[in-house]
């Protein structure tokens, strides 16, 4: 019997459909359903593995996914929310970039959030989002908040998962880029943001030739106030670091709780200048065999900052490098050159570092490193006086994983999964034996990978997603800018099985995290009506039914408006050319599907008014004319009639 028949029968059986075991796979008959599957497999040229994969991912209409993925939206400055195993996109969350459907960046409240991310006096309308970080309690995702960084314009955003809305963007003029961001400490006390490209701290000017003396890195510890759901910049602090290019970071957990680990490259301190007689930056930065893993005692650093042993730089209390050395906050350990990911194992006992130019992952032992630190047993010092531990005495061993290892995730069974960029594969290896047990090819050039809750103290294993950078031939051609490819892999069987290819038409996503769906407690309405989603509180301008009005005040015309199926009240607004206009609009509905939009012709006004939501928008009515305003969501049978006029009388 051919396997297709076996499977068709199995499917039919599991569906409760009668199916005779006919010897011909194409003519299986008897119950209708079974024969249909075999025929479908033949018609669509599907193997048994294809059908198994389909059965493992197919999610019938109305059924919910088991996991959420929160993926960086790359340059879009957004977060992509995806269901697993279906790989259906559930939402884009607007974060650093205006997003019309959500009205993000088109009303006063959301414009305030975006304005907090201005840099050097400029509005920034894109981001290079890299690493989302779910909030944690005792090292496990708690489903409450999500943080994400912008590498280019070093910023950190706070998203509340009650309404999947960005509540805050913070940025510090201290640094000019970030990459070790965002990671959280095990109870989300701090959100970590460490710089990547050194620059004079605080936005000062110094020629690049003054690199060694004037350029610096830094790691910012943004204090997260969970009760308020916001970062508290006034309780945040930073540590100055030498001018190496600090890379990805991870927080210690369990036995290593209280410490963070940051990779670095360019400890050669090359700064380019390929037209000035220097080697190009990338070769100047790869001269030495080793760079430095940064080992930082953040709990002690928080005490040092609290004790005021800091200097204010650009409004941020900074623990200077010498203080960090004197107080025993900062140590280095050599790591194979130009590494990328550093990933702390679920037990917190080991730190896995992947050297992009090495075929190994290096496994550092926390017990060994802590022993050396406690005994003050240092091999040497770096040029700035930072104590350097012995490489040999710090590592537990190395695993030969393959070409171009980048990032590592874990399952609950003692295995690690490392992405191999050059090899386009994932290596599964044993943490205990440091031996590869299996490899699966991916398409192509994988960067990050994720397993279910795979960077927490209790990974689920189960699913792995390879975040591949170039799809090349995986999908129908769409021009030279190729989609990225998320490949879902099943980890639950004896062998890894590729289940699904998902094109991501927004790049480059870098990292994502996968959380059990039942941990997310999202609300469908804002209650009571009149909530400003960006503060989470009832707006002072919230409008009650029957309180709609137009008031002329010294600062302009205030329109207090409500939206309800299927009208705005008032629906006619008369102003004079040049008037300052303040629209205050409350969606007074409290039903799940009662979202309205508010669009105003020619004034770039576009709001999303979700059930119970209040928005304000201010503008000058400088153009005279007749401007229709209407609801942009098909909210009812009379949605097209949910309209009105904004009349601007000429001067
Ligand atoms: S790195 S492989 Cu920013 Cu995490 Cu991209
Ligand atoms: Cu309200 Cu359409």
């Amino acid at each position: 019997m051919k396997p297709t028949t076996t499977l068709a029968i199995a499917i039919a059986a599991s569906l409760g459909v009668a199916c005779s075991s006919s010897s011909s796979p194409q003519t299986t008959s008897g119950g209708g359903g079974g024969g249909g599957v075999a025929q479908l497999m033949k018609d669509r040229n599907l193997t048994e593995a294809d059908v198994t994969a389909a059965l493992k991912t197919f999610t019938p209409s109305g059924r919910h996914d088991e996991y959420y993925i929160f993926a960086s939206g790359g340059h879009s400055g957004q977060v992509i929310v995806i269901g697993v195993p279906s790989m259906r996109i559930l939402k884009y969350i607007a974060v650093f970039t205006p997003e019309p459907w959500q009205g993000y960046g088109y009303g006063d409240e959301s414009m305030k959030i975006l304005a907090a991310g201005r840099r050097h006096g400029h509005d920034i309308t894109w981001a290079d989002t890299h690493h989302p970080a779910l909030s944690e309690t005792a090292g496990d995702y708690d489903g409450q908040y999500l943080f994400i960084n912008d590498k280019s314009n070093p910023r950190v955003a706070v998203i509340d998962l009650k309404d999947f809305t960005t509540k805050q963007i913070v940025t510090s003029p201290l640094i000019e880029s970030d990459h070790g961001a965002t990671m959280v400490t095990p109870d989300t006390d701090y959100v970590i943001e460490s710089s990547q490209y050194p620059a004079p701290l605080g936005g000062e000017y110094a020629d690049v030739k003054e690199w060694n003396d004037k350029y610096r890195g830094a790691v910012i510890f943004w204090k997260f106030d969970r009760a308020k759901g916001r970062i508290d910049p006034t309780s945040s602090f930073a540590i100055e670091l030498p001018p190496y290019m600090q890379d990805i970071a991870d927080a210690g957990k369990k036995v290593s709780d209280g410490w963070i680990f940051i990779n670095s490259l360019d400890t050669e301190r090359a700064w380019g200048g390929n037209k000035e007689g220097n080697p190009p930056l990338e070769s100047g930065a790869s001269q030495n065999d080793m760079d430095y893993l940064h080992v930082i005692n953040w709990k002690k650093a928080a005490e040092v900052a609290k004790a005021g042993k800091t200097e204010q730089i650009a409004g941020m209390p900074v623990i200077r490098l010498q203080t960090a050395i004197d107080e025993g906050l900062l140590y280095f350990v050599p790591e194979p050159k130009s590494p990328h990911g550093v990933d702390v194992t679920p037990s917190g006992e080991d730190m896995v570092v992947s050297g992009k130019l090495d075929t190994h992952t290096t496994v550092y032992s926390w017990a060994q490193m802590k022993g050396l630190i406690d005994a003050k047993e240092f091999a040497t010092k770096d040029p700035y006086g930072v104590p350097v531990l012995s490489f040999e005495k710090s590592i537990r061993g190395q695993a030969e994983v393959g070409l171009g290892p980048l990032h590592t995730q874990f399952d609950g069974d003692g295995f690690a999964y490392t992405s191999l960029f050059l090899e386009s594969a994932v290596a599964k290896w044993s943490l205990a034996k440091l031996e590869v047990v299996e490899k699966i090819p991916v398409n192509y050039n994988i960067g990050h990978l994720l397993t279910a809750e795979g960077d927490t103290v209790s990974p689920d294993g189960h699913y792995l997603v390879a975040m591949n950078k170039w799809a090349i031939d995986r999908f129908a051609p769409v021009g030279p800018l190729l989609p990225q490819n998320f490949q879902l892999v099943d980890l639950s069987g004896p062998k890894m099985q590729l289940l699904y290819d998902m094109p991501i038409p927004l790049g480059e996503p870098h990292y994502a995290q996968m959380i059990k769906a039942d941990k997310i407690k999202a609300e469908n309405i804002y209650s009571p009506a009149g909530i400003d989603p960006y503060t989470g509180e009832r707006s002072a301008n919230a409008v009650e039914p029957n309180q709609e009005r137009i008031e002329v005040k010294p600062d302009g015309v205030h329109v207090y408006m409500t939206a309800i199926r299927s009208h705005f009240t008032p629906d006619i607004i008369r102003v004079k050319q040049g008037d300052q206009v303040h629209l205050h609009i409350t969606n007074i509905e409290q039903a799940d599907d009662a979202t309205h939009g508010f669009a105003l012709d020619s004034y770039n006004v576009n709001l999303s008014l979700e059930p119970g939501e209040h928005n304000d928008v201010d503008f000058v009515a400088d153009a005279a004319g007749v401007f229709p305003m209407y609801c942009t969501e098909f909210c009812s049978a009379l949605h097209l009639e949910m309209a009105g006029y904004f009349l601007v009388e000429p001067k």
Side-chain angles (χ1 to χ4, degrees):
M1 190 187 291
K2 296 219 175 126
T4 47
T5 321
T6 322
L7 186 78
I9 294 165
I11 294 167
S14 71
L15 294 172
V17 179
C19 181
S20 76
S21 57
S22 153
S23 61
S24 162
Q26 277 85 52
T27 56
T28 306
S29 61
V37 172
Q39 190 59 44
L40 264 175
M41 287 171 70
K42 184 170 176 258
D43 292 349
R44 298 204 63 217
N45 191 22
L46 301 176
T47 64
E48 180 166 350
D50 294 335
V51 177
T52 314
L55 289 181
K56 285 180 177 179
T57 55
F58 177 70
T59 307
S61 176
R63 199 170 298 172
H64 292 192
D65 280 298
E66 198 182 338
Y67 288 94
Y68 287 90
I69 289 177
F70 290 91
S72 154
H75 305 57
S76 76
Q78 301 170 350
V79 166
I80 311 170
V81 187
I82 301 163
V84 175
S86 73
M87 302 305 272
R88 297 177 296 197
I89 294 180
L90 303 175
K91 194 165 206 176
Y92 294 114
I93 306 174
V95 184
F96 294 111
T97 312
E99 200 287 316
W101 179 47
Q102 296 161 47
Y104 186 76
Y106 300 89
D108 290 1
E109 293 81 1
S110 57
M111 283 190 312
K112 236 182 264 166
I113 306 276
L114 283 169
R118 287 170 62 92
R119 298 270 315 169
H120 289 270
H122 296 139
D123 284 325
I124 314 280
T125 55
W126 77 289
D128 185 15
T129 50
H130 275 236
H131 306 111
L134 286 155
S135 59
E136 294 178 8
T137 300
D140 243 326
Y141 300 154
D142 55 42
Q144 292 185 352
Y145 296 93
L146 180 72
F147 309 91
I148 191 159
N149 72 311
D150 171 5
K151 166 171 161 164
S152 172
N153 318 281
R155 302 182 289 177
V156 166
V158 181
I159 297 158
D160 192 331
L161 295 177
K162 263 205 300 271
D163 58 355
F164 284 51
T165 297
T166 301
K167 304 292 172 170
Q168 186 183 27
I169 292 173
V170 294
T171 186
S172 167
L174 187 69
I175 55 177
E176 296 296 339
S177 63
D178 71 33
H179 198 209
T182 52
M183 288 81 198
V184 297
T185 55
D187 282 305
T188 323
D189 295 306
Y190 290 96
V191 183
I192 298 157
E193 184 190 28
S194 72
S195 60
Q196 176 132 75
Y197 303 113
L201 293 182
E204 296 297 315
Y205 176 81
D207 192 89
V208 72
K209 290 180 176 146
E210 298 186 87
W211 184 276
N212 292 357
D213 298 327
K214 302 265 176 79
Y215 283 47
R216 288 292 179 268
V219 51
I220 300 175
F221 293 86
W222 293 105
K223 176 77 189 147
F224 185 60
D225 182 337
R226 195 188 284 263
K228 293 208 176 95
R230 300 291 185 278
I231 283 170
D232 175 8
T234 63
S235 305
S236 305
F237 67 95
I239 303 176
E240 177 186 18
L241 299 172
Y244 310 141
M245 292 181 184
Q246 281 79 26
D247 201 44
I248 301 190
D250 199 7
K253 42 176 97 94
K254 292 190 164 172
V255 291
S256 52
D257 185 14
W259 296 75
I260 67 159
F261 306 88
I262 312 176
N263 277 335
S264 68
L265 44 129
D266 195 20
T267 48
E268 295 83 351
R269 293 177 291 169
W271 43 264
N274 51 11
K275 280 287 208 185
E276 301 178 20
N278 291 337
L281 181 53
E282 82 275 20
S283 58
S286 314
Q287 300 295 308
N288 302 342
D289 284 338
M290 295 291 204
D291 285 302
Y292 291 132
L293 173 66
H294 295 36
V295 179
I296 297 175
N297 187 336
W298 68 261
K299 275 202 178 151
K300 195 161 173 206
E303 286 164 25
V304 168
K306 208 166 186 191
K309 296 178 192 167
T310 52
E311 239 175 74
Q312 287 293 126
I313 303 178
M316 173 73 67
V318 179
I319 300 175
R320 298 310 299 246
L321 185 51
Q322 192 57 51
T323 311
I325 297 167
D326 295 344
E327 298 283 339
L329 308 180
L330 175 65
Y331 303 92
F332 290 155
V333 194
E335 53 186 359
K337 72 173 161 192
S338 302
H340 197 36
V342 50
D343 298 285
V344 177
T345 55
S347 66
E349 287 169 295
D350 296 320
M351 292 77 220
V352 178
V353 169
S354 300
K356 301 188 291 274
L357 306 176
D358 188 1
T359 54
H360 298 89
T361 54
T362 303
V363 181
Y364 291 81
S365 151
W366 176 241
Q368 289 166 229
M369 290 194 287
K370 185 71 177 17
L372 295 172
I373 291 169
D374 289 345
K376 295 194 167 34
E377 188 187 329
F378 307 125
T380 180
K381 282 182 177 160
D382 90 324
Y384 298 89
V386 179
V388 180
L389 313 185
S390 148
F391 174 69
E392 288 75 18
K393 289 183 182 169
S394 296
I395 68 167
R396 179 161 74 78
Q398 292 186 309
E400 170 122 39
V401 288
L403 299 176
L406 293 188
H407 302 284
T408 300
Q409 294 263 301
F410 307 96
D411 64 16
D413 302 319
F415 293 101
Y417 300 81
T418 299
S419 54
L420 304 172
F421 177 76
L422 296 176
E423 210 173 307
S424 289
V426 172
K428 173 180 180 180
W429 52 281
S430 153
L431 272 174
K433 296 189 189 144
L434 305 183
E435 269 167 22
V436 171
V437 294
E438 195 192 345
K439 266 190 198 180
I440 187 168
V442 292
N443 314 92
Y444 299 90
N445 296 86
I446 181 172
H448 277 272
L449 74 177
L450 58 145
T451 54
E453 310 211 343
D455 59 6
T456 69
V457 293
S458 59
D460 289 6
H462 203 163
Y463 295 110
L464 177 147
V465 175
M467 303 177 74
N468 307 312
K469 296 191 186 292
W470 300 293
I472 309 183
D473 57 4
R474 294 289 106 174
F475 307 107
V478 289
L481 187 56
L482 303 170
Q484 320 260 314
N485 187 11
F486 283 10
Q487 286 184 306
L488 180 68
V489 174
D490 181 13
L491 300 181
S492 61
K495 287 252 168 230
M496 292 191 269
Q497 187 195 358
L498 176 65
L499 299 181
Y500 193 79
D501 276 32
M502 179 199 199
I504 299 287
L506 275 180
E508 178 196 334
H510 292 276
Y511 188 44
Q513 290 179 327
M514 197 190 310
I515 179 176
K516 200 98 175 92
D518 60 14
K519 288 187 177 176
I520 302 288
K521 309 271 186 252
E523 291 169 0
N524 282 354
I525 56 169
Y526 292 106
S527 191
I531 302 282
D532 165 0
Y534 302 98
T535 62
E537 278 158 30
R538 194 153 191 278
S539 168
N541 297 320
V543 187
E544 303 268 359
N546 304 317
Q547 301 294 308
E548 301 93 344
R549 63 204 183 274
I550 298 177
E551 280 179 22
V552 180
K553 295 186 186 174
D555 66 344
V557 180
H558 288 255
V559 180
Y560 295 89
M561 183 188 281
T562 58
I564 191 168
R565 275 171 287 191
S566 298
H567 50 267
F568 296 109
T569 308
D571 59 1
I572 302 294
I573 301 167
R574 291 185 182 83
V575 300
K576 300 228 159 40
Q577 187 176 14
D579 277 353
Q580 180 78 39
V581 178
H582 310 266
L583 300 180
H584 311 291
I585 314 178
T586 304
N587 177 348
I588 53 176
E589 300 206 56
Q590 294 283 280
D592 274 7
D593 58 351
T595 290
H596 302 285
F598 180 87
L600 177 57
D601 160 27
S602 304
Y603 279 98
N604 200 35
V605 171
N606 167 50
L607 304 174
S608 171
L609 299 160
E610 290 136 45
E613 178 170 344
H614 177 88
N615 271 190
D616 298 303
V617 58
D618 283 8
F619 60 97
V620 178
D622 48 9
V626 172
F627 303 94
M629 52 191 200
Y630 68 94
C631 171
T632 51
E633 292 277 339
F634 209 107
C635 55
S636 72
L638 294 173
H639 148 77
L640 294 174
E641 290 80 353
M642 188 165 175
Y645 280 93
F646 181 70
L647 303 167
V648 184
E649 192 185 323
K651 258 200 197 128

